[in-house]
Amino acid sequence: MKRVLLKLSGEALAGEKKMGFDEPTVLKVALQVKELVEKEIQVGIVIGGGNFWRGRTSETIDRAKADQIGMLATVMNCIYVSEIFRSAGMGTEVLTPFLCGSMTRLFSKDLANECFSQNKVVFFAGGTGHPYFSTDTATTLRAVEIEADGILLAKAIDGVYDSDPKINPSAKRYDRISIEEVIAGKLAVVDMTASIMCMENKMPMYVFALNEENSIIKAISGDFNGTIVTV
């Protein structure tokens, strides 16, 4: 793979604290991505906002406003993680679908490609810029737009299961499963909108646990403990 879109969950970056950031965890991610960049693999990154905001559980806030707060949470995450990456010796750029003053730059495919040509890691913050769309959908959208070779889904769980392993100790993990089977089984690898977009645009996904040693590097090499979602 020459270009990938890495999706990180905000909760995973918070580590055991569950909220905010766990800098050692973020630095481990940075060092893995740096190894990929040094191998001339172009990396785009989307980060969820769950370490700051889970607004959809609130019935007192309008859904559109809650989603806007979530978008801003992803911007904070990307600015922070971008700076950790810079401290590790990488060039970075944070792109958003809406203006954030001088803190980020406005997304366009041309700008993203220009940044990749400069060996920068590109952070796609702010979701799609619209409410009612998750960061899963933003991940798939950006992966398709930048013509990535695949999506790396770094999660708290080590792959795709036929049921929730936290509830069902006998849940079966798939080594490989098609996106059609994911959709038919409502397996919630990503949300349904993102799943259908992956299917229509033939975008494969590689699902693995972020906390496993060198999991991002192993996902690229294929030697990883996770699930390949084929198209």
Side-chain angles (χ1 to χ4, degrees), residues 132-149:
Y132 297 93
F133 292 98
S134 70
T135 50
D136 285 345
T137 303
T139 298
T140 306
L141 176 63
R142 296 297 182 235
V144 171
E145 284 183 299
I146 66 172
E147 300 178 74
D149 296 315

Side-chain angles (χ1 to χ4, degrees), residues 28-40:
K28 284 181 181 178
V29 172
L31 294 176
Q32 289 186 72
V33 172
K34 184 178 183 181
E35 188 170 327
L36 298 183
V37 172
E38 289 173 345
K39 293 178 180 177
E40 299 185 350

